[in-house]
Amino acid sequence: MQPMRFRLLSKRTQSGLRGKRPQRRPSRRSTTISRARACARACVRPAAVHPRYPPNHATISTAQLCELGNAWLGPLIAFIFLTTAAVVFVKFQHQLTDWYSRHQDKLEMYGQRGTVMFVTMQIMLILDGTHESVGGSKVPSPFGSFLDIMGFMAFDVVKFVPFECMVSEGQQFDHLDALLVQTLAPLMLLAGGQVFAWVQRRRKIGGKKHYVLSSWLTLMFLVLPVISRSVFESFRCLEFDGRLGSRTHDVALLASDISIDCTTPKYWSMRVYAAVMILVYPLGCPLLLFIVLFRHRGRLNPQGGDWTEAEIMQERLEDPVLAEEPANGFAYIYRPRFWWFEIYNMSRRLILTSVVLAFRDLNQTVVFVLFVGIITLVIEQECKAYADAFLSAFTAVCCWQVLLFILFLLLLDGGFSSGKQAIAMSSALLLANLGIMATIFAETKVTEKLRKVSSATRFSRFSRATTTSSG
């Protein structure tokens, strides 16, 4: 990946512009690095310089934020919410289980639409950050403010938890630390789950088998784009051409964290580690999911016989072998012959949120995401891969929303939209997004009829099974 290049003014030129005499520095290279970082703060968007805090906090030090307690407010609210939810679930477990059984079909329908909406929001949130980091225009309010509010949907734990407040004084929580946390925590969770499953098997010989890897893949669905983005950010450097006297000192700083010099052994070690993590996350997770689903392709899409598509979808829901693997749930929402479609969806998310970082400037980035947005929209509309026709249409609308957002960024960068016109377009995007969210809870006559047929089919099969067993 080629670094982006900037040219630094000489120290004498800078002092002449300010009307001050230059001060002596102990080292020419340290002087160049300091000026490069100052240039980065001026040239690069605040999100790239201060990835944890919004622009209005750019002048506030990390120590001040930790002393004020603002950095801990979000994690504290999340902890209180999760603790309260856990207590309520334990206390009313039987009532909640009974309520879920009575409304299972409707809740599953809401969950499927909510998942599509979650993926759409996550793509737009990460695209917005990438667009600003390469010099793109900031999205105006009200849609820009809406994206800031919905930022938690990116599931970026490093930005949410104030790790800077946990390090000792004089040390800094940099990109390398964040990369280690984001990449090692899921692997440690997987290892812990495997150990727990092994202990359980030793205690209960012949007991229920625990599919830890499959459950881990289901969890990775939420955080894979954020982890992959952090991995790819480890390769993007800003290169500065500085001249002091008769010598030229080239300096390269990491775009996501200008405290890291891209010419040091620390950076090259991080680069090697990031290359290994590409094999584990962006490439490894989709490949693992494909292997899990491929093993059960005969049950997910049985060949031969006079079975209709609806009968196959109903049978696979009741298949005990498929039910044992949690990752098979990814294939249930698709028509039988599209059992692999979740791998495509996962790849689409990674391309729009992580692979896009391979492009060095704004023009290349916008053209790439526009091309991918158009191609994926055509694929969604032509395949109609979802078992629920309404969900296929809903997904196509969400793809249109992503494409419109990309076109809006293109208009902003080209200067074709500004002032009141930009605010009007931003308001239209916000209304469209809120309308899509409201559609999650809309139940058309077709979906209501399908839900009733599904419930009747389940009841009929249960009755036949009960009669057979009693006979």
Side-chain angles (χ1 to χ4, degrees):
M1 184 180 299
Q2 295 293 327
M4 292 177 283
R5 303 180 67 88
F6 297 85
R7 182 166 296 278
L8 299 175
L9 295 174
S10 67
K11 195 66 179 178
R12 185 174 301 276
T13 303
Q14 293 183 43
S15 62
L17 292 174
R18 293 193 302 263
K20 299 179 181 179
R21 297 187 61 184
Q23 298 180 357
R24 293 183 178 273
R25 297 289 182 181
S27 169
R28 292 192 174 189
R29 176 164 179 81
S30 63
T31 302
T32 307
I33 294 176
S34 300
R35 284 163 44 203
R37 287 178 178 149
C39 177
R41 292 188 179 94
C43 301
V44 183
R45 292 287 177 180
V49 180
H50 301 277
R52 271 197 46 79
Y53 306 117
N56 58 330
H57 289 156
T59 58
I60 302 178
S61 67
T62 303
Q64 289 175 317
L65 283 172
C66 294
E67 291 176 1
L68 293 172
N70 293 345
W72 292 100
L73 183 60
L76 180 61
I77 294 175
F79 176 76
I80 294 174
F81 175 78
L82 293 175
T83 304
T84 305
V87 171
V88 171
F89 177 78
V90 171
K91 187 173 182 179
F92 302 99
Q93 182 176 0
H94 297 292
Q95 295 90 328
L96 291 174
T97 303
D98 181 63
W99 179 80
Y100 176 80
S101 300
R102 287 186 282 110
H103 302 86
Q104 181 177 356
D105 295 317
K106 184 178 289 189
L107 292 174
E108 288 178 353
M109 179 185 68
Y110 293 158
Q112 292 169 2
R113 298 178 188 176
T115 300
V116 175
M117 191 68 237
F118 165 78
V119 170
T120 303
M121 288 301 305
Q122 194 175 60
I123 289 175
M124 289 194 295
L125 286 167
I126 298 180
L127 269 181
D128 181 41
T130 303
H131 175 255
E132 286 195 39
S133 68
V134 294
S137 302
K138 183 175 178 58
V139 178
S141 295
F143 193 68
S145 301
F146 173 75
L147 290 178
D148 293 337
I149 295 173
M150 304 300 291
F152 67 92
M153 297 186 73
F155 272 84
D156 194 342
V157 178
V158 171
K159 289 185 179 180
F160 187 69
V161 179
F163 289 100
E164 293 91 342
C165 301
M166 301 180 188
V167 297
S168 58
E169 187 176 356
Q171 295 183 347
Q172 183 179 4
F173 187 84
D174 57 16
H175 177 79
L176 176 58
D177 299 320
L179 179 66
L180 293 173
V181 169
Q182 289 180 314
T183 54
L184 293 180
L187 295 178
M188 293 174 63
L189 181 63
L190 175 61
Q194 293 285 12
V195 171
F196 175 79
W198 179 78
V199 172
Q200 290 296 104
R201 286 197 301 269
R202 292 293 298 269
R203 283 184 173 183
K204 302 177 181 179
I205 300 177
K208 184 179 179 181
K209 186 177 180 181
H210 297 272
Y211 292 87
V212 178
L213 181 60
S214 186
S215 302
W216 182 78
L217 282 173
T218 305
L219 176 64
M220 289 303 299
F221 173 84
L222 300 174
V223 297
L224 182 59
V226 175
I227 296 177
S228 300
R229 174 181 169 81
S230 181
V231 171
F232 277 92
E233 282 179 335
S234 304
F235 299 92
R236 297 184 73 231
C237 289
L238 304 174
E239 189 169 291
F240 300 86
D241 298 332
R243 182 175 295 275
L244 291 176
S246 60
R247 296 184 180 182
T248 299
H249 299 266
D250 291 339
V251 176
L253 305 177
L254 193 66
S256 60
D257 187 348
I258 59 174
S259 66
I260 296 180
D261 187 348
C262 294
T263 61
T264 59
K266 174 182 178 180
Y267 167 76
W268 287 103
S269 300
M270 179 182 69
R271 191 183 177 100
V272 172
Y273 177 79
V276 175
M277 288 298 106
I278 288 179
L279 301 177
V280 175
Y281 288 103
L283 297 178
C285 286
L287 180 60
L288 279 176
L289 180 59
F290 176 77
I291 292 173
V292 171
L293 297 179
F294 186 79
R295 287 168 48 204
H296 299 97
R297 68 190 183 283
R299 293 178 178 272
L300 293 171
N301 183 30
Q303 301 295 323
D306 298 329
W307 292 53
T308 64
E309 193 174 69
E311 290 175 338
I312 293 175
M313 290 188 293
Q314 189 61 42
E315 284 294 330
R316 67 184 184 182
L317 288 174
E318 300 172 357
D319 192 328
V321 177
L322 294 178
E324 290 179 347
E325 283 271 14
N328 285 329
F330 285 113
Y332 289 164
I333 63 174
Y334 300 107
R335 294 157 59 190
R337 62 193 181 98
F338 291 104
W339 56 267
W340 48 268
F341 207 73
E342 187 58 41
I343 289 90
Y344 155 77
N345 266 332
M346 191 176 289
S347 302
R348 166 179 168 257
R349 294 168 66 195
L350 293 176
I351 290 173
L352 285 173
T353 58
S354 302
V355 179
V356 65
L357 294 172
F359 296 93
R360 55 181 298 182
D361 59 25
L362 180 62
N363 296 333
Q364 295 175 356
T365 300
V366 173
V367 170
F368 176 75
V369 296
L370 181 61
F371 174 78
V372 174
I374 294 174
I375 294 298
T376 54
L377 173 61
V378 173
I379 292 175
E380 290 286 351
Q381 289 187 326
E382 293 300 321
C383 288
K384 295 181 173 61
Y386 291 87
D388 183 1
F390 184 87
L391 187 60
S392 291
F394 182 79
T395 305
V397 171
C398 288
C399 289
W400 269 110
Q401 176 73 355
V402 173
L403 182 58
L404 290 175
F405 177 66
I406 296 171
L407 291 174
F408 181 49
L409 296 179
L410 182 60
L411 292 176
L412 289 175
D413 296 332
F416 296 104
S417 178
S418 59
K420 294 183 179 180
Q421 187 181 20
I423 295 176
M425 291 185 177
S426 178
S427 302
L429 275 177
L430 175 61
L431 292 176
N433 215 104
L434 294 177
I436 295 173
M437 289 182 170
T439 310
I440 295 175
F441 304 100
E443 185 171 14
T444 63
K445 293 182 179 180
V446 176
T447 55
E448 184 178 3
K449 182 179 179 180
L450 290 174
R451 187 170 55 83
K452 289 181 178 179
V453 169
S454 176
S455 300
T457 304
R458 290 184 182 180
F459 179 76
S460 176
R461 292 180 182 275
F462 176 77
S463 300
R464 289 200 302 267
T466 305
T467 305
T468 303
S469 60
S470 61

